[in-house]
Amino acid sequence: MRMLTLSAVAFCALTVSATVVTPTNTDEALINPGMGLVHYAYSSRIWAYDTGLEPGDTLDELVPGTSVAYMRLPWAYLEPEEGVYRWDILDAKARPWIEQGKKVAFRFAVMDHTMESIPDWAMKAGIKGKRSPYKFRKNAAEWFEPDWDDPVLLAKYEAFLKAFARRWDGNPDVAFVDVGSFGAYGEGHGPHLNALRCKQGNTNEVDRLCRIHLDLARRCLPNTYLVVSDDVGGSDNPDPNCAIMAYARSLGIGFRDDSIFCVNPPRCWVHADWARQFAKTLPVVVETGHHVRLDKAGGGDAKIEKWFPEKILQNLVEYQASYYTVQSFPKHLARTHAPILKELARRVGYRLELRKAVFPDRVRAGEPVTIESTWVNVGVAPLYAGASLAWNLLNDRGVVVWSIVDPVFNFRSLEPMLEDGEKPCTVTTKGHFGFTTPVPDNGNDDVLKWARRHPEFDPGTTAELLKPGVYTFAVSVGRADGKPEIALPLADGKKRMYPLGKIEVVR
């Protein structure tokens, strides 16, 4: 077997030998559920960041390991008339990614500095709020901040989100949906919200308003993984016991950071403590600030350098991120930071490495078998959804003829590799390859009597569900019923099953 080391050891079973395999794990980027690099197909702007890509490009070659197309858009684009929805705007980006077995993610904002995010028809219905120059700059265009508990706003946006939910809630092709209706871009800030925080010296009123929007999102999308921006708790809030973050966790809403590298160095990010609290049970999402603005050395227009590629991997570990986004045009990003992207893809989320497997050379059909294996999660996050370990026998045509699924071990328990290094786990799997039993024949089975008269169908006296022969022994990780779902960094895999050697089955 290519890239495998084999040796013989003593083995107490049918024979005196077994196979020991110590695979060489590859460094390829993997596409797996619940993790990966995220591409901004729409980044509030309808034109960014797909500009420069061919239609349907899912970045397999340009940025390997990109598993999610993320669409963050103003509400106004998607409901230009009340009850009339432009889902085709989402479908145009989503379809190619879904067809490639990848996922999509969404955010729909009600406030933006480049355009009116609230549809004109909804504004005419009487949504209250205030206008002010963007960042109070002289001669800057005004932007509109609604009253965040305005009943018209809440009713109209909820109707929109419920319409979206009829298409996408519980859809297995959705990785996550951001809570997008609170604050500018869904980030929990704005002139009025900022003033409230400064005036009160606490966040009680802001938290009250935020809870309304968290509850609304959870009510509309009960079967979807939701995440909320860290900024709703205060962009510079260092309190590890932030009340609104705790409330989000109580609703099963996860955490995302919008955005690292937006604060001046050496801080670069603020909320590693919050991220770690969420990461115990929920996948964390991280995005960087706009690369083309902040990376002065890479052609950005920042007044001071805020982009530090070497710190991205540090942030990945500190936040235990399952999803990671670099806001940029992929072609530009690949030209400037390809090595970092490769390492991000290798470490983001979970990555299950098989370090050793011990299995018998020969087995008697139906008799007990013991298989030992050692695993390491070299990613930074757990496999939150969990997965089962399966050992498979394949015939010469690559067909699975028998599987043993470990009934106890769950990869959810495999700890990620963080600052304290690898945490290997050795698993002992017991089971049987095949099932052999006498054919019941007490004279009452008319089907058996017919089969006895037709030699082609006569089962004989013993039923063998696994015929003697030499089979390929392969490992897979996936559902409890044995279906492979998780890609492993092993060579020669097909259909997410990876060959390790041969096993002879005898009578």
Side-chain angles (χ1 to χ4, degrees), residues 448-483:
L448 180 60
K449 291 176 183 178
W450 182 92
R452 296 285 192 220
R453 297 194 300 271
H454 298 80
E456 180 184 359
F457 304 104
D458 189 349
T461 59
T462 303
E464 293 180 311
L465 300 189
L466 182 62
K467 301 298 182 184
V470 177
Y471 297 94
T472 296
F473 179 67
V475 64
S476 63
V477 176
R479 295 192 328 200
D481 62 5
K483 180 182 178 182

Side-chain angles (χ1 to χ4, degrees), residues 403-442:
S403 293
I404 297 173
V405 181
D406 193 293
V408 177
F409 179 68
N410 191 315
F411 280 95
R412 174 65 177 84
S413 65
L414 198 61
E415 296 185 58
M417 186 176 75
L418 300 172
E419 298 90 343
D420 51 352
E422 295 183 351
K423 303 173 185 67
C425 177
T426 297
V427 182
T428 300
T429 303
K430 296 182 180 293
H432 305 79
F433 283 126
F435 180 74
T436 301
T437 185
V439 174
D441 186 3
N442 62 4

Side-chain angles (χ1 to χ4, degrees), residues 83-230:
V84 177
Y85 305 105
R86 292 299 308 273
W87 304 133
D88 53 322
I89 295 172
L90 306 180
D91 294 342
K93 302 295 186 184
R95 289 291 294 277
W97 290 76
I98 292 170
E99 288 171 2
Q100 292 298 318
K102 300 185 178 186
K103 308 290 185 182
V104 291
F106 305 97
R107 183 193 299 192
F108 308 118
V110 303
M111 182 180 178
D112 191 279
H113 71 290
T114 65
M115 62 175 284
E116 293 284 6
S117 291
I118 299 174
D120 183 61
W121 61 264
M123 291 293 293
K124 290 177 179 177
I127 293 174
K128 294 181 175 58
K130 298 179 180 64
R131 293 189 180 276
S132 59
Y134 175 61
K135 292 187 176 180
F136 298 105
R137 295 173 181 170
K138 186 178 181 181
N139 299 323
E142 290 188 330
W143 59 340
F144 179 75
E145 181 177 10
D147 293 346
W148 297 105
D149 57 355
D150 180 84
V152 178
L153 169 70
L154 296 174
K156 300 299 185 183
Y157 187 84
E158 181 165 359
F160 162 75
L161 205 56
K162 285 180 175 177
F164 169 82
R166 287 193 287 273
R167 260 179 155 247
W168 294 102
D169 185 38
N171 189 315
D173 295 321
V174 175
F176 56 87
V177 173
D178 297 354
V179 178
S181 61
F182 183 62
Y185 329 112
E187 293 179 352
H189 57 77
H192 178 59
L193 290 175
N194 296 343
L196 277 177
R197 287 187 173 100
C198 293
K199 180 179 179 180
Q200 294 181 344
N202 61 56
T203 62
N204 291 342
E205 176 61 8
V206 176
D207 286 359
R208 180 188 74 82
L209 296 170
C210 185
R211 284 195 296 270
I212 292 172
H213 291 264
L214 293 175
D215 290 341
L216 185 155
R218 177 49 76 207
R219 184 167 64 249
C220 293
L221 295 162
N223 304 301
T224 296
Y225 181 50
L226 299 175
V227 296
V228 66
S229 170
D230 64 318

